[in-house]
Amino acid sequence: MKPIDFGAIPVPAYLFLLFSIIAIVLELVFCFRENELGRKVAKCFCVGCLALMALAWHPEAWLIYVGAIFGTIGDAFLLKKHKVWPMVLGTAAFLIGHGFYIACYATLVSFEWWVYVALSVFYVLFLVIAYIPMHKIIKEGHMAFGATLYFGALVLDFLFAVFACFFGGFDYLFLAALGGVCFIVSDCFLVYTSFVKDVKRRDFYIMSTYWLAELLIILSLSFTYSISI
């Protein structure tokens, strides 16, 4: 495996990474202190910074930063997560973002044909099996179906990262798989606290795993792109 030449990474990437870490730390402090105004102000800067970092790092690798941009759009809609349509539109934006991440895995790694078939079958089966328990948690049928579509894409993103580790041979892709786990944990906790039982400092637990997920996935794809070109 070709090692990364850190000297070749542009300075803006370091700067935006630093800025994003600062933004994330501020966001988590506001979440822990349950400062709603500060949390909402800082929230959209975090993944937006990561998107700009990816853009400055590899402008030609548009699948990475466009996926992050849709994450930022989702964050903006979920500022009003207790209203139906902002939650629906935010979830749709996140789903599209995961689609871009999955497409990025497919461009970086040459998968065997059966991987696409197996994961497509898995996604369909997931929709059929997961809808019933999801509907019991989220009473509205259209929202339950949308959540099932989203969680299917979330798990699919994780599985693509796992397969990419095996087929790609890139050491950095395991970070994306770990990010996928963090995404699943974050959104499961979001659904639980939104529709089952709320808990104190819910946003701190949701956002800490969410920011870690986005950071790991974007860094993993950016590093992998660096050693693949």
Side-chain angles (χ1 to χ4, degrees):
M1 182 182 70
K2 183 173 66 174
I4 291 178
D5 180 8
F6 287 93
I9 299 175
V11 172
Y14 291 119
L15 296 177
F16 280 120
L17 178 58
L18 177 62
F19 185 36
S20 63
I21 290 173
I22 293 173
I24 290 170
V25 169
L26 287 174
E27 166 72 1
L28 293 182
V29 169
F30 288 135
C31 288
F32 189 81
R33 294 171 62 91
E34 298 187 310
N35 183 326
E36 276 296 292
L37 178 59
R39 181 186 73 80
K40 289 181 178 180
V41 170
K43 182 178 181 181
C44 292
F45 284 101
C46 301
V47 179
C49 289
L50 295 177
L52 289 172
M53 179 197 73
L55 172 62
W57 197 338
H58 295 299
E60 70 280 12
W62 59 274
L63 290 171
I64 303 175
Y65 55 81
V66 171
I69 288 171
F70 274 100
T72 305
I73 295 171
D75 286 336
F77 278 121
L78 290 186
L79 289 175
K80 297 183 177 180
K81 58 180 176 290
H82 297 297
K83 295 186 177 181
V84 174
W85 279 108
M87 177 171 278
V88 170
L89 294 173
T91 302
F94 283 121
L95 191 152
I96 295 171
H98 285 291
F100 278 100
Y101 291 148
I102 290 171
C104 191
Y105 295 129
T107 60
L108 290 172
V109 179
S110 297
F111 293 111
E112 296 287 344
W113 64 269
W114 60 264
V115 173
Y116 294 103
V117 174
L119 293 181
S120 298
V121 171
F122 164 82
Y123 185 68
V124 174
L125 291 176
F126 182 91
L127 296 182
V128 174
I129 296 171
Y131 175 74
I132 294 176
M134 190 69 72
H135 190 260
K136 290 182 178 179
I137 298 172
I138 304 174
K139 305 304 181 183
E140 293 84 356
H142 64 284
M143 289 187 66
F145 181 70
T148 306
L149 285 174
Y150 171 70
F151 271 94
L154 197 62
V155 177
L156 201 62
D157 190 348
F158 164 72
L159 292 176
F160 263 101
V162 172
F163 276 101
C165 291
F166 286 103
F167 282 89
F170 300 117
D171 290 346
Y172 306 101
L173 285 171
F174 84 93
L175 294 175
L178 183 59
V181 173
C182 293
F183 244 123
I184 294 170
V185 171
S186 176
D187 286 328
C188 283
F189 195 70
L190 173 62
V191 169
Y192 177 79
T193 54
S194 297
F195 298 98
V196 180
K197 181 181 178 182
D198 201 1
V199 299
K200 188 175 178 61
R201 296 193 176 96
R202 65 188 293 273
D203 289 312
F204 175 78
Y205 302 113
I206 293 169
M207 301 313 293
S208 59
T209 47
Y210 167 63
W211 299 137
L212 182 60
E214 288 281 14
L215 181 64
L216 289 173
I217 290 174
I218 293 171
L219 284 179
S220 172
L221 292 175
S222 297
F223 277 129
T224 301
Y225 188 84
S226 293
I227 63 177
S228 64
I229 57 177

